Amino acid sequence: MAMLLASLGTSIANIALPTLAEAFSAPFARVQAVVVAYLAALTASVVIAGRLGDGYGLKRMLVAGLAIFAAGSLLCAVAPDLWLLIGARALQGTGAAFLMTLAMALMRQTAGEMRVGRAMGLLGTISALGTALGPSLGGLMIPMTGWRGIFWVQVPLAVLALILAVTTLPHEPEKRKPRFPASWSKTDRSLVPNLAVNILVAAVMMATLVVGPFYLSLGLGLEATQVGLVMAVGPVISIFSGVPSGRLVDGWGSCRVLAVGLTLLTVGATLLAFAPHMTGVVGYLLSITVLTPGYQLFQAANNTAALADVPKDRRGTVSGALNLSRNIGLIAGASLMGTVFAFGVGTGEFTNASPTDIAAGMRLTFLLAGAMMLVAIGITFGRRNPAKHPR
């Protein structure tokens, strides 16, 4: 529930932006801060959340994070003006950092050694479910309850998750207070390749979310409803491929599954550069069908490998670093890959571009994405002793 809430909070507000612009008589650029504030606070807080979890206890800090998230959701629901709503979203994003980071660390702590991959795969499934559920749930509630309803619905869910955390998670002994800034040990520094590859993969996946809608609508001429249906295919595949990916990690080891996942990501990104231009929507769907399972395999294997040999008192910090690297990749994918797409199109005014120009931007973006995945393969397997999940 903690991971579901953090992911839901990320995606549910996006669909309300037009409604918020009308409600507060504000330009779109200003109401965008409702989304940006959440993501910025989440990104800035993940490592701190992990460090506090290591110092004061994962359960204790998860409960604190759920309380912060619930309070932020409540303040969002009752916010009288846009600036207070933006501030409340930042508070909610801070709570989400605790939820996302400590859920991963607790899953690693409570899962048996032979089931760590399955636990990480389940987290991937829940994260994809929350991301996919946000727009549909928001679209259902806004006509009935207005924009405030999308925040009210998160309050009882957060309270329920808080009650479950208090009553079901095992009690932890008192721990020493954490010191800031945290020093990195030689276990921690060995994780740099995992974090670097995490950035590259997240950037490629965000590129599909940023560039995909423009290509489908302006390059292939699909209606908005059709674009939405096509874009929903990736999250649906993620939901159903997360747990099987984790099972493969437990059975094969993280090293082999990393190889398969990164290979599928490379092939899928390269297909996106060419297949849609040749066969239209079918080619796009084929590419996503290859790319998305590759992402889930990578996530399950990379998270398992990164957390496999980490001491108990460092799991929160490492989980925070993994989430930080992923968020950096998402931001890079939205900004840098979007810039590459505009360069390939030849203009930032996409509505004035021809379908051929849009296709050229798509091709350049995902040729670069394929090259980035080759770099990721080099980083992962260029080491003498790539991380392996213990058998």
Side-chain angles (χ1 to χ4, degrees):
M1 285 197 69
M3 182 62 76
L4 180 70
L5 281 168
S7 302
L8 185 67
T10 302
S11 63
I12 197 170
N14 295 21
I15 197 169
L17 292 182
T19 305
L20 291 170
E22 182 179 353
F24 293 111
S25 301
F28 181 75
R30 192 178 301 167
V31 297
Q32 255 189 324
V34 172
V35 174
V36 174
Y38 182 96
L39 294 175
L42 191 157
T43 302
S45 303
V46 285
V47 174
I48 296 173
R51 186 64 179 154
L52 288 172
D54 287 335
Y56 292 104
L58 300 177
K59 174 183 176 178
R60 190 175 291 109
M61 288 298 101
L62 178 64
V63 169
L66 285 165
I68 293 170
F69 188 90
S73 301
L74 178 61
L75 290 174
C76 286
V78 301
D81 60 56
L82 181 59
W83 293 114
L84 287 176
L85 175 60
I86 291 169
R89 279 285 285 174
L91 180 65
Q92 191 186 35
T94 302
F98 284 77
L99 273 55
M100 191 172 288
T101 299
L102 302 180
M104 182 183 294
L106 278 162
M107 286 287 270
R108 172 63 186 91
Q109 181 169 296
T110 56
E113 290 297 329
M114 299 301 293
R115 299 173 66 88
V116 176
R118 212 166 305 183
M120 295 303 150
L122 179 59
L123 282 182
T125 293
I126 296 300
S127 178
L129 178 62
T131 302
L133 183 62
S136 56
L137 180 61
L140 179 67
M141 297 199 66
I142 288 173
M144 298 189 297
T145 65
W147 64 266
R148 296 183 189 277
I150 66 174
F151 299 111
W152 278 119
V153 74
Q154 297 175 66
V155 176
L157 292 176
V159 171
L160 176 59
L162 190 153
I163 294 171
L164 289 173
V166 171
T167 58
T168 63
L169 290 176
H171 177 72
E172 295 176 309
E174 291 291 330
K175 294 190 174 186
R176 58 179 174 81
K177 294 182 180 180
R179 292 180 298 175
F180 293 95
S183 60
W184 274 53
S185 65
K186 184 177 180 181
T187 303
D188 293 335
R189 288 192 292 271
S190 69
L191 297 175
V192 170
N194 300 80
L195 302 179
V197 174
N198 211 24
I199 292 173
L200 292 172
V201 171
V204 169
M205 295 307 296
M206 178 54 84
T208 65
L209 300 178
V210 173
V211 174
F214 287 106
Y215 179 75
L216 292 170
S217 60
L218 302 178
L220 298 182
L222 300 186
E223 299 293 332
T225 304
Q226 295 172 315
V227 172
L229 289 173
V230 173
M231 292 296 294
V233 171
V236 170
I237 294 174
S238 290
I239 291 169
F240 288 100
S241 59
V243 173
S245 297
R247 289 179 180 271
L248 283 177
V249 174
D250 289 332
W252 291 3
S254 58
C255 189
R256 291 179 184 176
V257 177
L258 269 175
V260 175
L262 287 171
T263 299
L264 288 177
L265 282 163
T266 304
V267 173
T270 306
L271 282 173
L272 277 171
F274 298 105
H277 183 63
M278 294 187 291
T279 58
V281 175
V282 173
Y284 185 90
L285 291 175
L286 172 64
S287 305
I288 292 297
T289 303
V290 174
L291 188 80
T292 306
Y295 176 64
Q296 288 291 55
L297 287 168
F298 165 80
Q299 281 284 95
N302 193 56
N303 290 344
T304 300
L307 289 165
D309 300 318
V310 175
K312 289 183 179 181
D313 63 348
R314 302 289 295 174
R315 286 173 183 166
T317 301
V318 173
S319 296
L322 285 168
N323 280 297
L324 175 62
S325 64
R326 175 178 174 273
N327 288 346
I328 291 173
L330 295 177
I331 293 169
S335 55
L336 298 180
M337 300 298 275
T339 301
V340 171
F341 178 63
F343 178 80
V345 172
T347 177
E349 299 293 332
F350 297 147
T351 55
N352 298 329
S354 68
T356 302
D357 293 334
I358 297 292
M362 178 82 167
R363 188 179 306 114
L364 178 63
T365 301
F366 286 99
L367 280 175
L368 175 60
M372 289 165 62
M373 291 302 89
L374 289 176
V375 171
I377 291 174
I379 292 173
T380 301
F381 298 102
R383 294 178 285 171
R384 290 183 179 179
N385 298 306
K388 296 182 179 181
H389 176 50
R391 297 300 301 271

